[in-house]
mmCIF file of all heavy atoms in Angstrom:
data_model
loop_
_atom_site.group_PDB
_atom_site.id
_atom_site.type_symbol
_atom_site.label_atom_id
_atom_site.label_comp_id
_atom_site.label_asym_id
_atom_site.label_seq_id
_atom_site.Cartn_x
_atom_site.Cartn_y
_atom_site.Cartn_z
ATOM 1 N N SER A 531 4.581 -16.747 -10.777
ATOM 2 C CA SER A 531 5.900 -17.393 -10.795
ATOM 3 C C SER A 531 5.846 -18.763 -10.141
ATOM 4 O O SER A 531 6.474 -19.713 -10.615
ATOM 5 C CB SER A 531 6.930 -16.509 -10.090
ATOM 6 O OG SER A 531 6.627 -16.358 -8.719
ATOM 7 N N ARG A 532 5.073 -18.899 -9.072
ATOM 8 C CA ARG A 532 4.947 -20.201 -8.409
ATOM 9 C C ARG A 532 4.106 -21.166 -9.250
ATOM 10 O O ARG A 532 4.343 -22.371 -9.228
ATOM 11 C CB ARG A 532 4.355 -20.021 -7.013
ATOM 12 C CG ARG A 532 5.282 -19.232 -6.117
ATOM 13 C CD ARG A 532 4.904 -19.241 -4.673
ATOM 14 N NE ARG A 532 5.866 -18.439 -3.916
ATOM 15 C CZ ARG A 532 5.977 -18.449 -2.598
ATOM 16 N NH1 ARG A 532 5.177 -19.244 -1.883
ATOM 17 N NH2 ARG A 532 6.855 -17.698 -1.986
ATOM 18 N N LEU A 533 3.147 -20.619 -9.963
ATOM 19 C CA LEU A 533 2.374 -21.455 -10.884
ATOM 20 C C LEU A 533 3.297 -22.009 -11.968
ATOM 21 O O LEU A 533 3.231 -23.201 -12.314
ATOM 22 C CB LEU A 533 1.254 -20.623 -11.512
ATOM 23 C CG LEU A 533 0.384 -21.320 -12.562
ATOM 24 C CD1 LEU A 533 -0.398 -22.468 -11.939
ATOM 25 C CD2 LEU A 533 -0.564 -20.317 -13.213
ATOM 26 N N PHE A 534 4.182 -21.175 -12.502
ATOM 27 C CA PHE A 534 5.123 -21.606 -13.535
ATOM 28 C C PHE A 534 6.083 -22.671 -12.999
ATOM 29 O O PHE A 534 6.338 -23.684 -13.652
ATOM 30 C CB PHE A 534 5.902 -20.393 -14.054
ATOM 31 C CG PHE A 534 6.957 -20.734 -15.066
ATOM 32 C CD1 PHE A 534 6.603 -21.050 -16.375
ATOM 33 C CD2 PHE A 534 8.304 -20.761 -14.715
ATOM 34 C CE1 PHE A 534 7.571 -21.373 -17.312
ATOM 35 C CE2 PHE A 534 9.274 -21.074 -15.650
ATOM 36 C CZ PHE A 534 8.904 -21.389 -16.950
ATOM 37 N N LYS A 535 6.611 -22.441 -11.801
ATOM 38 C CA LYS A 535 7.524 -23.415 -11.196
ATOM 39 C C LYS A 535 6.825 -24.764 -10.996
ATOM 40 O O LYS A 535 7.422 -25.826 -11.206
ATOM 41 C CB LYS A 535 8.034 -22.899 -9.856
ATOM 42 C CG LYS A 535 9.015 -21.741 -9.963
ATOM 43 C CD LYS A 535 9.428 -21.259 -8.583
ATOM 44 C CE LYS A 535 10.359 -20.050 -8.675
ATOM 45 N NZ LYS A 535 10.716 -19.524 -7.326
ATOM 46 N N GLY A 536 5.558 -24.690 -10.590
ATOM 47 C CA GLY A 536 4.792 -25.927 -10.394
ATOM 48 C C GLY A 536 4.610 -26.693 -11.689
ATOM 49 O O GLY A 536 4.708 -27.923 -11.717
ATOM 50 N N GLU A 537 4.344 -25.961 -12.778
ATOM 51 C CA GLU A 537 4.169 -26.621 -14.067
ATOM 52 C C GLU A 537 5.467 -27.272 -14.543
ATOM 53 O O GLU A 537 5.455 -28.338 -15.161
ATOM 54 C CB GLU A 537 3.686 -25.596 -15.109
ATOM 55 C CG GLU A 537 2.281 -25.086 -14.875
ATOM 56 C CD GLU A 537 1.241 -26.194 -14.858
ATOM 57 O OE1 GLU A 537 1.296 -27.066 -15.754
ATOM 58 O OE2 GLU A 537 0.397 -26.205 -13.953
ATOM 59 N N VAL A 538 6.594 -26.637 -14.248
ATOM 60 C CA VAL A 538 7.891 -27.229 -14.606
ATOM 61 C C VAL A 538 8.129 -28.505 -13.808
ATOM 62 O O VAL A 538 8.565 -29.541 -14.353
ATOM 63 C CB VAL A 538 9.034 -26.221 -14.352
ATOM 64 C CG1 VAL A 538 10.398 -26.897 -14.525
ATOM 65 C CG2 VAL A 538 8.913 -25.030 -15.297
ATOM 66 N N LYS A 539 7.827 -28.473 -12.516
ATOM 67 C CA LYS A 539 8.030 -29.655 -11.664
ATOM 68 C C LYS A 539 7.161 -30.827 -12.107
ATOM 69 O O LYS A 539 7.566 -31.985 -12.008
ATOM 70 C CB LYS A 539 7.714 -29.305 -10.209
ATOM 71 C CG LYS A 539 8.768 -28.445 -9.531
ATOM 72 C CD LYS A 539 8.392 -28.178 -8.081
ATOM 73 C CE LYS A 539 9.448 -27.317 -7.399
ATOM 74 N NZ LYS A 539 9.075 -27.036 -5.980
ATOM 75 N N LYS A 540 5.967 -30.526 -12.610
ATOM 76 C CA LYS A 540 5.055 -31.595 -13.028
ATOM 77 C C LYS A 540 5.608 -32.405 -14.195
ATOM 78 O O LYS A 540 5.183 -33.544 -14.428
ATOM 79 C CB LYS A 540 3.694 -30.996 -13.419
ATOM 80 C CG LYS A 540 2.860 -30.546 -12.231
ATOM 81 C CD LYS A 540 1.526 -29.959 -12.697
ATOM 82 C CE LYS A 540 0.705 -29.449 -11.523
ATOM 83 N NZ LYS A 540 -0.587 -28.860 -11.955
ATOM 84 N N ILE A 541 6.557 -31.813 -14.917
ATOM 85 C CA ILE A 541 7.135 -32.513 -16.075
ATOM 86 C C ILE A 541 7.844 -33.787 -15.637
ATOM 87 O O ILE A 541 7.770 -34.821 -16.312
ATOM 88 C CB ILE A 541 8.103 -31.580 -16.836
ATOM 89 C CG1 ILE A 541 7.317 -30.415 -17.459
ATOM 90 C CG2 ILE A 541 8.867 -32.337 -17.921
ATOM 91 C CD1 ILE A 541 8.192 -29.347 -18.082
ATOM 92 N N TYR A 542 8.535 -33.744 -14.498
ATOM 93 C CA TYR A 542 9.286 -34.920 -14.066
ATOM 94 C C TYR A 542 8.703 -35.595 -12.822
ATOM 95 O O TYR A 542 9.330 -36.433 -12.201
ATOM 96 C CB TYR A 542 10.764 -34.560 -13.822
ATOM 97 C CG TYR A 542 10.994 -33.392 -12.892
ATOM 98 C CD1 TYR A 542 10.973 -33.547 -11.519
ATOM 99 C CD2 TYR A 542 11.251 -32.125 -13.404
ATOM 100 C CE1 TYR A 542 11.187 -32.498 -10.674
ATOM 101 C CE2 TYR A 542 11.476 -31.046 -12.570
ATOM 102 C CZ TYR A 542 11.447 -31.239 -11.198
ATOM 103 O OH TYR A 542 11.659 -30.171 -10.352
ATOM 104 N N LEU A 543 7.474 -35.217 -12.459
ATOM 105 C CA LEU A 543 6.772 -35.888 -11.361
ATOM 106 C C LEU A 543 5.654 -36.769 -11.917
ATOM 107 O O LEU A 543 5.235 -36.603 -13.067
ATOM 108 C CB LEU A 543 6.179 -34.839 -10.410
ATOM 109 C CG LEU A 543 7.173 -34.055 -9.543
ATOM 110 C CD1 LEU A 543 6.435 -32.998 -8.723
ATOM 111 C CD2 LEU A 543 7.937 -34.982 -8.607
ATOM 112 N N PRO A 544 5.160 -37.722 -11.135
ATOM 113 C CA PRO A 544 4.042 -38.579 -11.595
ATOM 114 C C PRO A 544 2.841 -37.740 -11.999
ATOM 115 O O PRO A 544 2.623 -36.638 -11.480
ATOM 116 C CB PRO A 544 3.727 -39.445 -10.365
ATOM 117 C CG PRO A 544 4.983 -39.438 -9.569
ATOM 118 C CD PRO A 544 5.631 -38.113 -9.798
ATOM 119 N N GLU A 545 2.040 -38.272 -12.937
ATOM 120 C CA GLU A 545 0.881 -37.537 -13.455
ATOM 121 C C GLU A 545 -0.100 -37.143 -12.370
ATOM 122 O O GLU A 545 -0.744 -36.102 -12.443
ATOM 123 C CB GLU A 545 0.144 -38.387 -14.508
ATOM 124 C CG GLU A 545 0.738 -38.237 -15.898
ATOM 125 C CD GLU A 545 -0.125 -38.941 -16.926
ATOM 126 O OE1 GLU A 545 -1.366 -38.837 -16.833
ATOM 127 O OE2 GLU A 545 0.441 -39.596 -17.799
ATOM 128 N N ARG A 546 -0.223 -37.983 -11.356
ATOM 129 C CA ARG A 546 -1.209 -37.735 -10.301
ATOM 130 C C ARG A 546 -0.700 -36.748 -9.243
ATOM 131 O O ARG A 546 -1.432 -36.442 -8.304
ATOM 132 C CB ARG A 546 -1.591 -39.050 -9.630
ATOM 133 C CG ARG A 546 -2.313 -40.008 -10.582
ATOM 134 C CD ARG A 546 -2.724 -41.262 -9.850
ATOM 135 N NE ARG A 546 -3.419 -42.209 -10.736
ATOM 136 C CZ ARG A 546 -3.889 -43.385 -10.346
ATOM 137 N NH1 ARG A 546 -3.711 -43.785 -9.090
ATOM 138 N NH2 ARG A 546 -4.508 -44.173 -11.191
ATOM 139 N N ALA A 547 0.512 -36.299 -9.397
ATOM 140 C CA ALA A 547 1.080 -35.376 -8.402
ATOM 141 C C ALA A 547 0.283 -34.077 -8.355
ATOM 142 O O ALA A 547 -0.066 -33.516 -9.392
ATOM 143 C CB ALA A 547 2.528 -35.080 -8.728
ATOM 144 N N VAL A 548 -0.015 -33.641 -7.149
ATOM 145 C CA VAL A 548 -0.747 -32.386 -6.952
ATOM 146 C C VAL A 548 0.205 -31.381 -6.323
ATOM 147 O O VAL A 548 0.764 -31.623 -5.249
ATOM 148 C CB VAL A 548 -1.976 -32.592 -6.040
ATOM 149 C CG1 VAL A 548 -2.686 -31.268 -5.793
ATOM 150 C CG2 VAL A 548 -2.928 -33.604 -6.653
ATOM 151 N N LEU A 549 0.389 -30.255 -7.000
ATOM 152 C CA LEU A 549 1.291 -29.214 -6.500
ATOM 153 C C LEU A 549 0.521 -27.898 -6.370
ATOM 154 O O LEU A 549 0.504 -27.083 -7.291
ATOM 155 C CB LEU A 549 2.475 -29.033 -7.454
ATOM 156 C CG LEU A 549 3.443 -30.211 -7.578
ATOM 157 C CD1 LEU A 549 4.460 -29.938 -8.674
ATOM 158 C CD2 LEU A 549 4.143 -30.477 -6.258
ATOM 159 N N PRO A 550 -0.142 -27.709 -5.248
ATOM 160 C CA PRO A 550 -0.907 -26.467 -5.089
ATOM 161 C C PRO A 550 0.005 -25.256 -5.000
ATOM 162 O O PRO A 550 1.140 -25.338 -4.535
ATOM 163 C CB PRO A 550 -1.649 -26.685 -3.762
ATOM 164 C CG PRO A 550 -0.792 -27.646 -3.004
ATOM 165 C CD PRO A 550 -0.179 -28.552 -4.042
ATOM 166 N N VAL A 551 -0.500 -24.131 -5.472
ATOM 167 C CA VAL A 551 0.223 -22.870 -5.356
ATOM 168 C C VAL A 551 -0.043 -22.311 -3.963
ATOM 169 O O VAL A 551 -1.191 -22.130 -3.562
ATOM 170 C CB VAL A 551 -0.244 -21.855 -6.416
ATOM 171 C CG1 VAL A 551 0.437 -20.503 -6.206
ATOM 172 C CG2 VAL A 551 0.049 -22.385 -7.810
ATOM 173 N N THR A 552 1.015 -22.071 -3.211
ATOM 174 C CA THR A 552 0.859 -21.570 -1.847
ATOM 175 C C THR A 552 1.617 -20.260 -1.665
ATOM 176 O O THR A 552 2.711 -20.085 -2.187
ATOM 177 C CB THR A 552 1.365 -22.589 -0.810
ATOM 178 O OG1 THR A 552 2.759 -22.846 -1.041
ATOM 179 C CG2 THR A 552 0.597 -23.892 -0.911
#
Side-chain angles (χ1 to χ4, degrees):
S531 64
R532 295 191 180 194
L533 177 64
F534 177 76
K535 289 178 183 177
E537 292 302 315
V538 172
K539 286 182 180 179
K540 286 180 182 179
I541 294 173
Y542 53 82
L543 289 176
E545 274 188 41
R546 295 183 180 180
V548 177
L549 294 173
V551 175
T552 60

